[in-house]
Amino acid sequence: MRMPIFRGMKRWGAILSALLLSSLLLAACGGNSPSILNPSGPVALKESNLFWFILVVATIVFVVVEGLLIYSIVRFRERPNSPNPVQTHGNNTVEIIWTIVPSFFLFVVLIGTIYTMFGLTTFSSTNSRPLQIRVVGHQWWWEFDYLNEHIVTADELVIPVGTRIEAQLLSQNVIHSFWVPELFGKTDVVPGHNNMSVFQADNVGTYRGQCTEFCGLEHAHMNFYVIVKSQDDYNAWVTSQEQSASTTPTDPTALAGQKLFLGSGGCQGCHGIVGVNLKDNQHLNSGADASVLVGPNLTHFGSRRNIAGAVLQWDPASCVVVTGSGGQPTIQNPDACGLYQWLKDPQAVKPGSDMVIRSLSDTEIAQLIAYLESLT
Amino acid sequence: MAEDHGQSKNPGASNEAVEQAIKAKQSYWPIVLAASLTLTLVGVILMSHPIVFWVGVAFVIVSFIGWGIERH
Amino acid sequence: MATRTITEGVSIARRRRLSETYIGDWIMTTDHKKIGIMYMITAFFFFLVGGVDALLIRTQLAQPNGKVLSPDVYNQIFTMHAVTMIFLFIMPMLTGLGNYIVPLMIGARDMAFPRMNAFGYWVVLFAGLFLTSSFLFGAAPNAGWFAYAPLTELSGPGTTSCGNAVMCTPGPNMDFWALGILMLGISSISASINFVVTILKLRAPGMSINRMPLFTWMTLITAFLLLFSLPSVTMASILILLDRHLGTHFYVAGFGGDPLLWQHLFWSFGHPEVYILILPAFGIISEVLPVFARKPIFGYTFIAWSGVAIGFLSFTVWAHHMFAVGLPLVAQAFFATSTTLIAIPTAVKIFNWIGTIYGGKLSFKAPMLFALGFIAMFLIGGLNGAALAIVPFDYQVTDTYFVVAHLHYVLFGGSVFGIFAGIYYWFPKMTGKLLNERLAQVHFWLMLIGLNLTFFPMHILGLLGMPRRIYTYPDNLGWNELNLIATIGAFTIGISILVFVWNFVVTLRSGQVASTDPWNAFTLEWDTDSPPKPYNFAEIPTVRSRRPFYDKKNPETADWKSVTH
């Protein structure tokens, strides 16, 4: 019985394949996407080259085999006078050939795979000294410890361009995975294991990173950014980050904010500011002094733009502190200020996160924002 | 089972007898054992009331025995 | 249902025994055909449940910053979608089909252990209800279907309870998971033992092992896979229950335990499991293609042996699910090699199937449509799977939507299409009615288009950096359109399923009556009534080739006259 619908099948097939393939090309123009096909470092470059090679091979195999399939369907469909087919049971020669030939190709690819694997972290760097970072996965944010520079930050990993980065991956809770698609493939962060991610960024810029191992309620909101600076900019950044925060901010609103920070039930219960409630970043020491942070270190919060697992962004321009009608400080445009939204109701932004705080008035939020802004 | 060759050489009258002879015997032990097992494992969740678990275990044992001694 | 003669006594004025009522008959049955039907109906019900889970997921992800599902509910839904589809749909459906068809195919009167057969089914039903009932308590499993430790631990080391967020998954959610897995494992083990003994001991005279149908071969291999892989996950589940409730620390670092122990144990089951899900579908395709191409399967021996090879090799590849966890490079290279090896028998089968239709006389009835769709879609799944074996590429795309694309092409484009091919093929044998061809075509095309609309964009989403298992995504990452397309595709699949359900219901009520051999098929199950008598065969046939029914219908050109098997 002829199925009339098959008359259009070739056209359908062509349209569908064209749609699918063109959508693939769209991918290359990923635009804002953290695309693995926009490599900005040697590791991602090797991995992305591998993809293009795979794509070519897979497309050829697909076209050939699918083509054979469609050809057979069309050529051998039953027609009113078609005779009974020859009852072939098989052909040993053909079957051996089509086992050996693909095997050969598969093994060539395997050798390429293994060769690339073992050479993945072999690349040249403009900077002769590698940078040692410790990456700690929390639920649900990323802590970055610069072991030699004694700096602790969160949400943003600042690195110099052209420098080999050796990132030690630690977790004291569940498994996470450390991934920046444009720079390197992921490595899991496994409690009890000392996994290492080695990579390098060859271009200045900002790259999105994500947790890629399901780690609980807010796994979707455990993102971060890698900010790649020129060597000079990076050195300047390190110098400023190594300073302690001042114990008395000059601005009165900021001072009030610091009081809130230090007050009973205040932020210092979970957050540390070196020079204010922390002598130094003791937890970077190994041994008895090491302790796990509850909340991100805020010593230089003012220099960061991403908060809460990069769920929200903020900057001074969108979080302007003004004097409100009652003479009290307030935020000019709260809806545009990510930091306001976070402090106003963190559980609404990221339900289940550890940031469980009492309700803060707009005045208190403005004071805190003024203080945090000052922590540059 | 595979030896039941020439059974239906006489269709018609003795078909029903043949059906009876060859048809698999019914039994309630499979569902009873399955239910007992479920009860036992539900009892693990409800360990704050261990009685559920132990009743389940008892039923499982009874089911094993019943199954074992059933004529089949 | 067979008629029964009341042979005891003359008086009919007494209460019927439970076993004589309609319900009682089904509850107490040990007939492989009835049990097969119960398996399949139950499995289809859970297919719909899992499908609703999928539609909920896709609705939440259709747009960025979706607010359809809270993160807690989303995590339960995506976990249960996989658990339901794998353990409560595909496995029981394939077991049910096997249960019904395999004894008929090999010329037996029933399975070797009829009561254990029934037991296996009831456990699936109860386990399925148990697992799904967890939703009613708001505590459905929520740590992913592969349930990585230590997320599944009840509390972090040194703490007695979970804080607002810290370290673990409070609540009985993962207890439901572990217990459900244990129950289903017991069911699968009993079914597997039954299949192994039945297939090895109850074949009709003359049916040597290399004359039995390929569906039987694949079912046999699957049964062995289950028997050898289930102990791993059984152990893993028991250990996590011990960790959760008795204070052990098998998976907790800092107490001497290791989270990776879970992964090794789980994937030692999990990888053979995916072959358990696909091999019977390979078998179905190998039955359907020859019948609708009017010639024998091309390369029976190669297909059978490649199944065996896949069976053995499937135990050597498990850590390809773990390339990113930090295993030594040499170990990763080993698993890359074993994964490459296992691609070979899988690829060969595709060529054999194309060789079957090549030179044939193809009729595109419903079973054939799905069989051909299977080949087309499984090829894609095989190609993106082979890509995942290329380790450095895997580092980029593992745990992203690229993997979601792969697994759905092989499980949906593969197993589900294979299952529908089997349903359309054997439905007339089981019910005596033929499913409507027009509706079947609508079902097929909608499902094929839906499948590709849903899952092809996911390849790209993975390349664009979208991780798995996220309940929402931001507006500005370029993922919006592709997610929307995937959602439209998912609803298209949903509509195609409704078409099938409609076809099923209408056919049972007033469908076209089928002869005993509507497809002019080759194997023994067709040499019976539709539906078969309770005793299957009046006379157990003697078999002289791989196509005994073909031989019987075509004595001049019988296989045994031209080939020696």
Side-chain angles (χ1 to χ4, degrees):
Chain A
M1 199 196 324
R2 287 272 301 279
M3 293 295 146
I5 206 159
F6 269 82
R7 256 185 255 124
M9 212 190 88
K10 275 192 214 154
R11 214 185 319 136
W12 260 112
I15 294 176
L16 215 63
S17 333
L19 256 172
L20 295 176
L21 281 172
S22 53
S23 60
L24 190 63
L25 289 173
L26 272 172
C29 330
N32 283 333
S33 309
S35 166
I36 74 165
L37 302 177
N38 281 339
S40 253
V43 177
L45 184 62
K46 287 185 191 160
E47 289 161 349
S48 129
N49 287 340
L50 213 44
F51 165 74
W52 293 113
F53 166 72
I54 293 171
L55 182 64
V56 167
V57 173
T59 306
I60 293 176
V61 174
F62 176 79
V63 166
V64 168
V65 181
E66 209 81 53
L68 257 171
L69 178 67
I70 295 181
Y71 170 77
S72 307
I73 289 174
V74 170
R75 166 89 168 76
F76 297 108
R77 67 192 189 283
E78 77 180 340
R79 275 157 271 223
N81 302 325
S82 28
N84 263 338
V86 178
Q87 303 290 293
T88 323
H89 289 261
N91 182 322
N92 276 341
T93 318
V94 168
E95 294 179 64
I96 290 177
I97 292 179
W98 75 34
T99 307
I100 305 241
V101 170
S103 307
F104 171 75
F105 281 111
L106 280 170
F107 273 96
V108 168
V109 171
L110 176 67
I111 292 178
T113 301
I114 297 182
Y115 176 76
T116 311
M117 259 171 79
F118 277 86
L120 210 50
T121 55
T122 310
F123 47 81
S124 61
S125 318
T126 44
N127 194 331
S128 56
R129 259 192 29 182
L131 176 58
Q132 250 108 33
I133 311 260
R134 191 168 77 185
V135 173
V136 183
H138 293 266
Q139 281 176 305
W140 292 279
W141 54 279
W142 294 94
E143 170 191 337
F144 302 114
D145 302 339
Y146 295 68
L147 301 169
N148 298 320
E149 296 76 5
H150 237 67
I151 299 170
V152 174
T153 67
D155 291 325
E156 290 176 2
L157 176 60
V158 178
I159 57 174
V161 73
T163 309
R164 182 184 183 85
I165 314 289
E166 291 169 358
Q168 211 189 2
L169 307 175
L170 299 181
S171 162
Q172 295 210 2
N173 42 82
V174 299
I175 302 180
H176 301 276
S177 192
F178 183 65
W179 187 38
V180 182
E182 289 161 301
L183 293 181
F184 53 90
K186 61 191 65 72
T187 306
D188 285 358
V189 185
V190 183
H193 287 249
N194 285 324
N195 287 346
M196 178 96 89
S197 178
V198 176
F199 62 95
Q200 178 169 295
D202 283 340
N203 302 306
V204 165
T206 302
Y207 306 99
R208 182 178 168 93
Q210 290 158 149
C211 174
T212 5
E213 184 60 66
F214 182 69
C215 51
L217 207 56
E218 289 291 338
H219 162 66
H221 286 152
M222 188 167 162
N223 305 306
F224 62 100
Y225 281 91
V226 176
I227 300 177
V228 184
K229 293 183 187 281
S230 70
Q231 189 63 53
D232 290 334
D233 287 348
Y234 174 75
N235 294 338
W237 178 84
V238 168
T239 310
S240 86
Q241 294 279 318
E242 278 172 334
Q243 314 300 316
S244 308
S246 96
T247 34
T248 20
T250 43
D251 174 41
T253 316
L255 187 58
Q258 189 187 60
K259 283 212 178 63
L260 279 170
F261 179 87
L262 288 171
S264 86
C267 326
Q268 63 156 334
C270 300
H271 291 280
I273 299 181
V274 175
V276 172
N277 70 327
L278 277 188
K279 224 173 23 140
D280 67 36
N281 289 316
Q282 304 111 302
H283 83 289
L284 291 184
N285 309 331
S286 60
D289 274 346
S291 61
V292 176
L293 297 187
V294 180
N297 182 301
L298 300 179
T299 313
H300 293 281
F301 179 85
S303 69
R304 303 205 289 266
R305 295 288 166 260
N306 284 286
I307 47 179
V311 172
L312 289 169
Q313 284 75 40
W314 79 282
D315 60 53
S318 55
C319 296
V320 180
V321 180
V322 294
T323 314
S325 47
Q328 293 292 354
T330 187
I331 296 295
Q332 183 169 50
N333 200 353
D335 288 335
C337 175
L339 189 48
Y340 174 89
Q341 287 160 41
W342 181 242
L343 291 171
K344 187 77 190 165
D345 192 352
Q347 290 300 310
V349 174
K350 201 164 163 178
S353 74
D354 266 345
M355 180 111 157
V356 179
I357 57 175
R358 66 166 172 85
S359 180
L360 294 169
S361 71
D362 279 2
T363 308
E364 289 172 311
I365 294 180
Q367 288 164 338
L368 279 170
I369 290 184
Y371 179 52
L372 291 168
E373 266 183 35
S374 74
L375 296 169
T376 50
Chain B
M1 300 252 195
E3 314 81 40
D4 288 325
H5 275 276
Q7 285 286 351
S8 76
K9 288 252 164 67
N10 298 322
S14 55
N15 242 5
E16 282 136 17
V18 169
E19 272 188 45
Q20 291 285 50
I22 300 178
K23 204 157 84 170
K25 288 265 189 312
Q26 296 167 316
S27 169
Y28 49 73
W29 289 113
I31 192 173
V32 170
L33 178 60
S36 312
L37 206 59
T38 308
L39 190 64
T40 309
L41 290 173
V42 167
V44 174
I45 288 229
L46 297 174
M47 258 323 190
S48 44
H49 307 283
I51 183 82
V52 179
F53 175 78
W54 291 114
V55 166
V57 170
F59 269 108
V60 167
I61 295 177
V62 166
S63 306
F64 271 124
I65 297 173
W67 183 316
I69 64 178
E70 177 180 49
R71 182 183 67 96
H72 65 281
Chain C
M1 199 177 79
T3 52
R4 289 190 57 100
T5 315
I6 302 173
T7 50
E8 54 279 344
V10 181
S11 157
I12 46 178
R14 62 168 178 82
R15 276 185 71 210
R16 284 189 296 173
R17 290 199 182 129
L18 177 65
S19 57
E20 288 158 1
T21 63
Y22 185 74
I23 299 261
D25 189 29
W26 285 89
I27 289 181
M28 293 175 56
T29 189
T30 59
D31 178 343
H32 73 100
K33 298 183 287 301
K34 287 215 179 64
I35 293 171
I37 292 196
M38 290 196 287
Y39 260 115
M40 289 189 271
I41 305 262
T42 305
F44 196 80
F45 167 74
F46 282 111
F47 179 48
L48 298 176
V49 170
V52 168
D53 289 336
L55 292 178
L56 284 169
I57 293 174
R58 287 312 324 164
T59 308
Q60 162 69 9
L61 293 178
Q63 294 176 302
N65 300 313
K67 297 272 186 286
V68 173
L69 300 174
S70 72
D72 182 35
V73 172
Y74 182 87
N75 293 343
Q76 292 177 47
I77 301 259
F78 87 70
T79 302
M80 284 304 287
H81 165 70
V83 170
T84 305
M85 287 302 199
I86 292 172
F87 294 106
L88 301 178
F89 163 52
I90 296 188
M91 287 175 79
M93 179 62 85
L94 292 173
T95 307
L97 265 173
N99 237 309
Y100 197 113
I101 298 296
V102 166
L104 289 168
M105 263 184 168
I106 62 175
R109 295 205 188 281
D110 204 321
M111 298 282 279
F113 304 115
R115 287 179 299 173
M116 190 156 77
N117 203 9
F119 166 74
Y121 165 69
W122 292 112
V123 172
V124 165
L125 177 67
F126 294 149
L129 292 172
F130 170 73
L131 265 168
T132 313
S133 75
S134 62
F135 274 118
L136 295 175
F137 300 97
N142 58 356
W145 87 273
F146 40 80
Y148 278 0
L151 181 61
T152 49
E153 299 280 349
L154 209 38
S155 61
T159 69
T160 51
S161 68
C162 283
N164 200 45
V166 180
M167 284 187 225
C168 51
T169 311
N173 312 45
M174 295 316 288
D175 290 321
F176 276 104
W177 184 92
L179 294 169
I181 295 291
L182 284 173
M183 285 178 74
L184 292 165
I186 291 172
S187 164
S188 289
I189 289 180
S190 51
S192 299
I193 293 175
N194 224 340
F195 275 118
V196 170
V197 177
T198 304
I199 294 173
L200 291 184
K201 301 303 281 178
L202 294 187
R203 278 168 285 128
M207 189 182 279
S208 59
I209 201 133
N210 71 333
R211 281 183 191 167
M212 66 183 191
L214 284 169
F215 180 58
T216 311
W217 260 107
M218 297 301 157
T219 304
L220 179 66
I221 298 167
T222 304
F224 275 114
L225 281 180
L226 277 161
L227 288 173
F228 284 104
S229 65
L230 277 167
S232 278
V233 73
T234 305
M235 239 11 257
S237 305
I238 292 177
L239 293 186
I240 192 64
L241 284 172
L242 290 176
D243 267 18
R244 286 168 65 87
H245 298 289
L246 287 184
T248 56
H249 297 109
F250 289 101
Y251 303 120
V252 183
F255 282 79
D258 188 352
L260 289 188
L261 174 64
W262 171 269
Q263 294 191 30
H264 285 294
L265 283 176
F266 182 84
W267 288 117
S268 294
F269 156 76
H271 195 82
E273 166 70 2
V274 312
Y275 291 103
I276 287 163
L277 297 172
I278 197 71
L279 282 175
F282 286 169
I284 297 173
I285 303 305
S286 306
E287 297 298 328
V288 168
L289 287 175
V291 169
F292 292 87
R294 307 312 309 154
K295 55 193 273 277
I297 189 81
F298 189 92
Y300 170 103
T301 312
F302 265 74
I303 297 186
W305 277 110
S306 68
V308 174
I310 288 177
F312 278 109
L313 288 172
S314 70
F315 287 98
T316 62
V317 301
W318 79 89
H320 71 217
H321 300 269
M322 294 165 65
F323 279 140
V325 307
L327 298 173
L329 277 183
V330 173
Q332 294 182 41
F334 169 82
F335 286 104
T337 308
S338 59
T339 306
T340 303
L341 264 174
I342 206 171
I344 299 168
T346 321
V348 158
K349 282 202 180 56
I350 295 188
F351 302 144
N352 280 88
W353 289 323
I354 296 182
T356 304
I357 65 175
Y358 189 91
K361 184 172 160 182
L362 311 181
S363 103
F364 300 110
K365 301 277 175 44
M368 186 60 155
L369 285 177
F370 279 95
L372 293 171
F374 173 102
I375 300 178
M377 296 298 105
F378 187 77
L379 173 65
I380 299 179
L383 286 171
N384 57 29
L388 287 169
I390 299 180
V391 178
F393 175 64
D394 187 77
Y395 291 152
Q396 283 285 28
V397 294
T398 191
D399 249 311
T400 69
Y401 265 80
F402 192 92
V403 178
V404 180
H406 164 65
L407 72 94
H408 283 94
Y409 267 95
V410 286
L411 285 180
F412 199 110
S415 302
V416 175
F417 269 63
I419 285 171
F420 277 112
I423 291 177
Y424 280 104
Y425 183 53
W426 282 305
F427 185 89
K429 177 52 56 185
M430 298 180 194
T431 62
K433 300 256 174 83
L434 271 173
L435 283 166
N436 180 284
E437 271 300 318
R438 295 246 72 177
L439 286 176
Q441 277 198 43
V442 175
H443 170 199
F444 171 73
W445 287 106
L446 275 181
M447 189 173 256
L448 185 70
I449 292 172
L451 167 71
N452 285 291
L453 269 181
T454 313
F455 300 112
F456 197 85
M458 291 187 183
H459 291 109
I460 303 170
L461 281 171
L463 296 173
L464 292 182
M466 183 170 177
R468 285 175 82 164
R469 303 172 146 192
I470 53 174
Y471 74 92
T472 189
Y473 55 93
D475 200 356
N476 59 344
L477 294 181
W479 299 339
N480 307 4
E481 293 76 23
L482 293 171
N483 270 292
L484 186 59
I485 295 175
T487 301
I488 294 173
F491 278 90
T492 310
I493 294 178
I495 296 174
S496 78
I497 305 289
L498 289 178
V499 169
F500 170 77
V501 172
W502 174 249
N503 194 352
F504 186 85
V505 166
V506 159
T507 302
L508 279 183
R509 240 185 309 132
S510 55
Q512 183 189 349
V513 172
S515 67
T516 58
D517 182 23
W519 313 121
N520 194 0
F522 303 149
T523 40
L524 280 182
E525 75 272 20
W526 297 100
D527 193 10
T528 58
D529 289 345
S530 288
K533 290 273 187 296
Y535 48 81
N536 294 350
F537 300 93
E539 208 181 301
I540 301 290
T542 303
V543 160
R544 299 176 75 171
S545 80
R546 290 174 182 151
R547 297 193 295 170
F549 193 40
Y550 173 86
D551 289 349
K552 182 175 174 181
K553 290 184 291 184
N554 304 287
E556 282 82 45
T557 51
D559 274 356
W560 58 266
K561 286 195 171 157
S562 50
V563 261
T564 328
H565 295 305

